[in-house]
Structures are given as C-alpha cells and as structure tokens.
Amino acid sequence: MGLFSLVTMDHIRNFSIIAHIDHGKSTLADRLIQLCGGLQDREMQDRVLDSMDIERERGITIKAQTATLQYRAKDGKVYELNLIDTPGHVDFSYEVSRSLSACEGALLVVDASQGVEAQTVANCYLAIDLGVEVVPVLNKIDLPQAEPERVKEEIEEVIGIPASDAIAASAKNGIGIEAILEAVVARVPPPRGNPEAPTRALVIDSWFDNYVGVVMLVRVVDGRLARGDTIRLMATGAEHEIDKVGVFTPKGVERESLECGEVGFVIAGIKLLSEAKVGDTVTLAARPAAEPLPGFREIKPQVFAGLYPVESSEYDQLREALEKLKLNDAALQFEPETSQALGFGFRCGFLGLLHMEIVQERLEREFDQDLITTAPSVVYEVVTKKGEVLRVENPAKLPDPGQIEAIREPIIAATIFVPQDYVGPVLTLCNQKRGVQQDMRYHGRQVEVRFDLPLNEVVLDFFDKLKSVSRGYASLDYEFKDYRAADLVKLDILVNGERVDALSVIVHRSSAQQRGRELVVKLRQLIPRQMFDVPIQAAIGSHIIARETIKALRKNVLAKCYGGDITRKKKLLEKQKAGKKRMKQVGSVEIPQEAFLAVLRTDEG
Amino acid sequence: MTKPDAYPVTPPNERESYPAPSKPPPLAVYIHVPWCVRKCPYCDFNSHPQRGALPERAFVAALAEDLAHEAALVSGRTVTSIFFGGGTPSLLSPDAIAAILQHVRATLSVAANAEVTLEANPGATEIAALSAWRDAGVNRVSIGVQSLDPVGLAELGRIHDAPTAERTVAAALEVFPRVNADLIYGWPGQTPQGAEAEVMRLLALGVAHVSAYELTIEPNTPFAAAPPAGLPDETRLGAIEAAVHAVLAGAGFSRYEVSAFAKPDHRARHNLNYWTFGDYLGIGPGAHGKISFPGSGILRTRKRAHPNDYLSAGQHRNRPDRVQGLDTSSVTNPYTAAAHWVQADALPFEFLMNALRLAEGVPRPLFTERTGLPFAAIADTWERLAARGWVVDDAARLACTPLGWRYLNTVLEAFLDPMVC
C-alpha cells in the first residue's frame, strides 16, 4: 500500500442523507457521486435506469447509495467523503439509528414545496440525539410551487435547528450540488477515534452475496482492519478471517486495510447473516476491545402473520423461498405453523407492516409463490392463572379464557404530523383506536400530535385510515413503548358451523360486537355462494354475537350448450375454475384468499 | 378479408396423445346461415344483420364447395341428421334450401329417415314457405317464439308479435309432424304467473318439443354492454323456472336435457347426437365440426366466421390457416379457419360436458366407445363426485344426480384438471 492512500482523519467526512420518500434522496446521492467522478456518465445512465442491476462487479453486491467519494474542495485539499445509505421507513428505524451513529453529519433533505414530514423529523431527532451535525438542504428549489422561506421556518420550528443558511438545491437539475459538498467539508466534523486502540468497527449494514457470502459495511471507530486479520463479532462471538476489505465508489474497490474513521466493506467468509448483525461491533481476535460500541440491540419482530401456500403441495417451496429471503433479511423470522383451515404454513415475524408487505411481494414476485396471508397480529403477553407469562403471536393460540388472568398488549408511542385542517379527524381516529393523547404542538402550518396507541389497532387498518382522513397529508412515526393490560377477547369466526382458526382476531371487548358484525357482513360478501346455505357467525367463546347467511346458489348449469361449439363454454368454465385456485376448502366451503384479510378492511364496500 | 381468429398452437410432441374411438360414431351435418334481419340483444351467435338482398347464389355455391371438401373426411359414412341453424335460416328462399339439401344428398350418403331441421322465425313469409320447405326435404322446424307476451318480446328485442308467433307454430304443425318452439324465460318484468300462461298458450297449439332457456347475459352482446333493467332476482327467477317446468311436466313433457322438453318420440335427434358425443360436419360461416378417425384421433374444425371471408375463401384455394396436432394433410378445406386434434386430457371434459346435460345421462360404455379412453381415465374423479352425491353411482350409467345436474358447472370443473381438490 502506497503512502498516499493513508488518509489522515482530518480529511474524512462521514455523512448520511435524511429524507422523506420521494423527496429526492437517491437522485441527490447520484449527483454527489457523479460530481466526484464515482461513475462515468454511461454508468450513471445505467444506474438511473436500474439501480439494482449495476450492483454486480467483482462478485460483490453494492448497496445503492453507499459510496466513498474523493472530493477536491475549494481549499485545494482532497477529502474522502463517505456517504452512508439509510433505509427510509418507520419499520427500519433501528437500522437508521445504526447508519446515523456511523456518521458525524447528515444532510436533511426537505422538499421545498412540501415541507417536513414525520419520518424525516423522527430521523432528524435521532441524528441530533446521536450528536450528528445536521445540514439542511431544500430540494426541488426550482419548482414553481417551492416555498423556501416557509419551509425554512418549518425546519427551525419543528426540528429546532437553524435553517437560514439551508442550501437551495435541485438534485434533478444539478443545482447546488457543489455547495452541498462544500458544506459537508466545512460543517461536518472529521471522525474521532483512537487508531492505536484495540479495533472497534460498527456493522452499519450486512447482506448476503451469492458469490462471497456475507458482506459487512462497517465504520472503523478505533484501530484498523486489514486483510488476513481474524475478526470477532462481539455480540455473537463468531470469529472469521478477513478475505477482503475495501470501499465502494460505489463500485467495490479492494484495499489492503480500512483505517480508523473510514467506512468500507469487510468480507470474511461468513455464511450466515445472523452472525453479522447490524449494530454489532467488529474487533480483532488477537487484541479484542474490552467493550463493544454502544447501541446494539437484538431486533425483534413486532408484527406476525401466517403465510400459507395456496396449494398445500407447495409448502416445501415456500420454506425454501423463506430461507432464501432470510439469507438477506436478518429481521425476518419464521417457524412452521399448522392451521386447521389453511393446512401447513409458517408464522412469520416482521419489523412492521411495510416489512411484511415487502416480504409478501418478494415471495410472490421473485419466488412465484401463491400465498394466503392471515391478518397481521401483534405479540400479546398473557398472564395465566398459574402466574406464567406467555407470549402469544397467533390469536388462535390464545389459551382458554378460564386460564387467563390478564392479557397485556404492546403500546406504541406514535408521532403524527398533519396539516391543521385535518387535526380534528386525526384526533377522532386516534381516540377510536383507543389512543391516549400525550401531546399536541403547533409548528406553523403543521401540527405534531403524539399519542400512545395499542399496536394491534395500528396493524389492522390505521395507516390507511390515517391517510384517508387527512387526504394523504398526515405522516406517522412510532416506536415501541411498553406492554399494558387491556380487556381483550378472542373473536372467532365460524363458517358453516366450523371455527376457522385463521380468521380469529384478538380485539378489545368494547369493540368486539361491532367488529364481529362488520366481519360477518364482509365475509358474506367475499365468500362465494355454495350449493347450500352457509351461516357465518362471530363468537366470543361459545357466545354468538353476530350472524349472516350466504344464501345457496340456485344453480350453475349453462342454459345453452349447442351447435357443437364447445370452446367458448369450456373457456368460461376454465376461467371459473382458475378463479377458485386461490381458495381454501374449509369443511365443505370454499373460502377465497381475500377473506383471510377481511379483518383488515371491514368498512370498505 | 378478415384474419381468422388465432388458435392456440401447441407443437405436437411425444408426450401428447390423441385418442380415437375404434369405430366412428353417428354423423350429423350442421349448416350455418349467418344472417338475421336484426341482431337480438341477447344473442352471441355468429350472426350478421342482413343488408340488402342475401348473396344466396354465392352462398349456396360456397356451401357446396365446403361440403365437398368435408365429404372427403367422412367417406363411407351415413348422415343421420341435418340441421339448418343461424342466424335465421328461414331468410333463405325455399329454392336455396332445396339446392343446399340436394348438394348434401349428392355429396354424402344420407339415411332415408334422417331428421332434417330448419330454424325459422315467426312471420307471414315463413308461413307461406312451410310447404316448400317440406318439399325441399325439411321434416322438422324449430321456431324462435321466445315469448308470447308483448312485454317479453319487446324486452328481448324480437321483431315479431305474439299472434304471429302463434299463427306460425299452428301453421307449421299442419305441415310438419315435428315442431320445436324456443322460449326464453327470466326477462325483465316477467312473473311466474305470466310465464305459466305463456307456456300454456304455447302448448295449446300442440307442439311436442319445447326448448326453454333461461335468459343468460353472454359476453360481447348488447345485453352485456348495457344489462337490461328489472331482471328478476334469484327468488323470482326460481319461481318462474319452477312454473315453466311444472306446466311442461303436467302436459306430459319430459325434461330430457337441461333446457329441452319433449313428448315421447319427439326428442331432437340432431341435438341428441351432440349430447352423445357423435360426429358432425360444420358447414357454413363459423360452423364447428367434430370428426372421429378410428386409430388416428378426433378432429375439431372451425370455419371462417365472417360471411365475406367465408364466401371468398374458395377463390384462395389455400390450406387452412391453422392446423394443430397429428398429420393434417387430409385437412385441405380452404373454408376451414382452424382445426386441432383433441388431446387425451381434454376428452373426458368434452364428452361429459355434453353427456351430463342429458337427464338420463348415457350408458357407461359410451364413454370408451366415443372417446377411445378407458373408463379408468375418469374413475377416481367419478367416484369422488359420486361420494358427494353429485353423480350417480351406477356401473351401467354416467349421469348426474338431480343435485349435480343443477350444479353441472361445478361437476364439470372436476374434469378440467386431473389435479383438482
């Protein structure tokens, strides 16, 4: 290794971008990379077209917006700027916190016409708490509806940082990009750390690559990491020898070592993602650090749902697909589960609803799985009469009411940002969802509302309702707060006299009657008519609280089938049959897939 | 010239098999006349409004040529029935009908007692033509009465009135020993009492065969685009259907097929041939045919559908556009738009889709006789359906139970895919 690659820490700047979805984070990242010469124009083109596909080079999967940039600043010096990617959604706030704690600075990118959103605020507070220098950037400044002065005020008001010198930019049209890089150099402090101390590197992110195994993105806080070193992951104790270290430009470029303060990748022949957890500390086996870096947390799934193959013969394929997803998604949990209604499937744990949707979509798109998903549930703590505390992830597994002393449910602290005009409906919604108001603050046009809400109300249909009562303007952030006892009951659904375990939900007693009513009405609409009358009942224990009947289909024989042309009638029946493919036979009744999610959408239609 | 509809072409490979019966079944001839004065809003058949005089001469010539090509596929076989369907075959002049029948007899061997049916609309012209049709060789007519209620006729978009319909049926019965009347029930505003009265009036005329169809909104019809208001709900429709069936049963008619009712000896032989999976040549625009070749396979054919395309096909002297399956060198008919050999996995469904429409079903051996497949091909599915009470558990017969007959679509779905439930 040559002398010139030894960069003193004064020349390093580690920073992330905090932005709401659609506010232009990836475009801005691309511009920064382009200006620093990280990618040729042609490569930029490819990147814009398909950011997933250029990521194969030297057999290493590259993360979209993580890059080590060489920038010659106006002071004539060359700086190593490490741009660290952050996930942008509420479900991944822990990952965001790890990314931010690897940085000394963050660009707060706010849409100059839309202003501040809850997610941005939450991440910004996180950054400030971690001592990260926040540099505000007003993006899309060239749009006619841009209101830079109002948005600056909003930033000062809501986030509480000075914004008068916020940088006016347009990532799309390349305005203000150099000013941003200069601000990073001038305002973000260089990393601090002890190059002589035992090595400590923070795992910012880790992912599985088919060619090289687990790739870790790390920030070296103390000491250094070099090829051939034997590392130890302090949370899991796993030890591995480093095959490769390097940086992303964003193309992967191998180096001899990563020095104190730097950000880069480490490949060490690790096969399991669970050995390289985000937030863990990498140290050297030969000279281990005494204490890991602070802040590591085991991530626990908050939301659970049953995933079942439509065709029971595809159970093994579903398991293989989940195993493959798990390779690259340490937060995903699953274990086999059996449902009387749905057969063999898996109880899966997710960080949140978005995470659940992503997993579902990937299973269907990438692995071609036909799935039936049950309504999402949270983890309840059930205190039995014997004094045991059980964790119940599946409503069907709730013990007999006679054995239950108390049920405790997870409560979240929710922060909602909403324009003044929609505050009323948002408060009403939160109250309906058994929320307890904690705080309400006016920041100019925006109102910040804080509520404690039961997570089980949020996982059902809260997001959709919040969006609809605020015409899409409200934004939400939340974090787990605590478990609280509540008067909860299990609501069962009986179809044709048979309890359908996959349709059971746990609800508050006060809303059981109404929910039961809504559910049976919804199911009556969703379950096709059969050859006989089918009663749909909602019950708490043996007590029936609501009932609807699906009237029998009068007949389904074609009136006319003549003239020797059988093709059209055959196609008609084939189409009908294909429609039934996504149905599950429960007893003698065919129940369509949508019915299992009916609890989510009880008041549509 | 319109492009023929695309037909799914699967290249033959060694895994496919094309079963065939060991001896050919009875053979019928269907002749399609594609014109109507006006298209009815519920109709999804291949029919086209008549504009000016019909190109009768060209049509007869084309049918004759089409027929000559088809005859090569059925040499040595005897035709047991002929059916003129449409469209409105009664729009053709009696001379044209005579000429067509002459061509059929000249080209094919027709049984002496063959049933020859012509579909006709009610009308004064038709009444006047009845004896000429008889002289041409027609021995049965099927009259599109549809309703005897002025409201019903208006709702169904028919151009005739009830008295004309009654007069046409009565006149036909004087000329022909066998007459069918078509009825449609379930139109907007119909009541069970009204339906009962209509059927009674119809039967008073003395018909011995009635086809009573429930109004079905078919895709790609004006009714599908703008469904008529006031269609009876399920309860009323059930009551209407019950009333229609009760009057017919009370008058000694047996419901021998889902929508067909007949007194003894009046069953439609031509249609029974479809329902018992017999063969038929399809002559005329858009006509479908089915021809069994012992030892080779079962061929399905479809003719060029648009009248203009059909009429000009002879000039091209070309081969069919699409032929799928085994050796098709024998299919050289330029009037054919598409043909394919029926594969083994499609046969049980195709056979049962027809056979189970019959109240009594068919003798069990007919399955093998007509498809060339052993009963074992469907034995498991049959047993499962029998256990559910949908089909009869009878070693001699293949038939639905009354329950299965009402839900025939559900029964048939079980034969669409061997992997079902």
Side-chain angles (χ1 to χ4, degrees), chain B residues 19-23 25 275-278 290 292 298 343-356 361-382 395-399 412 415:
Chain B
S22 53
K23 65 177 171 55
W275 297 323
T276 53
F277 215 56
K290 165 185 172 280
S292 304
I298 296 173
Q343 290 187 23
D345 57 0
L347 263 180
F349 172 85
E350 294 193 2
F351 177 88
L352 293 167
M353 182 182 196
N354 285 290
L356 296 182
V362 294
R364 197 178 268 200
L366 195 75
F367 177 75
T368 304
E369 211 178 300
R370 295 286 149 91
T371 65
L373 293 170
F375 180 71
I378 56 165
D380 287 352
T381 308
W382 191 265
R397 244 167 16 109
L398 296 176
L412 292 173
F415 296 96

Side-chain angles (χ1 to χ4, degrees), chain B residues 357-413:
Chain B
R357 294 188 68 81
L358 293 170
E360 293 152 20
V362 294
R364 197 178 268 200
L366 195 75
F367 177 75
T368 304
E369 211 178 300
R370 295 286 149 91
T371 65
L373 293 170
F375 180 71
I378 56 165
D380 287 352
T381 308
W382 191 265
E383 210 171 285
R384 210 182 58 241
L385 296 176
R388 300 190 78 159
W390 295 350
V391 298
V392 297
D393 185 13
D394 180 340
R397 244 167 16 109
L398 296 176
C400 281
T401 60
L403 176 71
W405 211 34
R406 259 168 64 204
Y407 302 99
L408 185 55
N409 288 1
T410 306
V411 172
L412 292 173
E413 275 171 20

Side-chain angles (χ1 to χ4, degrees), chain A residues 141-321:
Chain A
I141 195 76
D142 50 345
L143 291 184
Q145 64 270 36
E147 294 178 74
E149 291 314 312
R150 176 182 71 72
V151 173
K152 279 182 191 174
E153 276 171 36
E154 205 172 280
I155 293 172
E156 294 189 346
E157 182 118 20
V158 177
I159 299 169
I161 57 166
S164 55
D165 56 352
I167 302 161
S170 164
K172 194 175 162 211
N173 294 314
I175 301 169
I177 305 304
E178 206 171 348
I180 292 170
L181 289 167
E182 286 297 322
V184 168
V185 169
R187 291 169 61 180
V188 174
R192 282 184 300 262
N194 184 354
E196 308 304 327
T199 299
R200 291 198 297 175
L202 174 71
V203 180
I204 301 167
D205 196 0
S206 61
W207 60 93
F208 190 84
D209 180 277
N210 287 335
Y211 300 101
V212 299
V214 171
V215 180
M216 293 183 288
L217 181 71
V218 302
R219 152 77 194 269
V220 182
V221 176
D222 293 319
R224 65 196 289 266
L225 289 167
R227 185 160 60 188
D229 286 347
T230 298
I231 54 166
R232 178 185 299 161
L233 288 137
M234 295 184 78
T236 60
E239 294 193 359
H240 297 273
E241 191 185 313
I242 296 180
D243 297 331
K244 285 175 187 171
V245 295
V247 295
F248 294 122
T249 67
K251 291 179 280 190
V253 175
E254 219 177 309
R255 285 201 190 162
E256 285 300 316
S257 66
L258 289 174
E259 300 299 325
C260 187
E262 287 192 312
V263 174
F265 64 83
V266 174
I267 294 165
I270 304 174
K271 298 282 180 286
L272 295 173
L273 204 55
S274 55
E275 287 187 355
K277 291 175 174 163
V278 170
D280 197 356
T281 302
V282 179
T283 190
L284 294 182
R287 191 185 164 217
E291 288 287 325
L293 296 163
F296 174 71
R297 217 164 70 196
E298 287 282 352
I299 36 176
K300 277 190 196 153
Q302 302 276 351
V303 174
F304 287 80
L307 260 52
Y308 291 82
V310 171
E311 298 287 342
S312 48
S313 58
E314 282 168 17
Y315 174 82
D316 287 336
Q317 279 134 278
L318 177 56
R319 193 189 53 226
E320 280 163 29

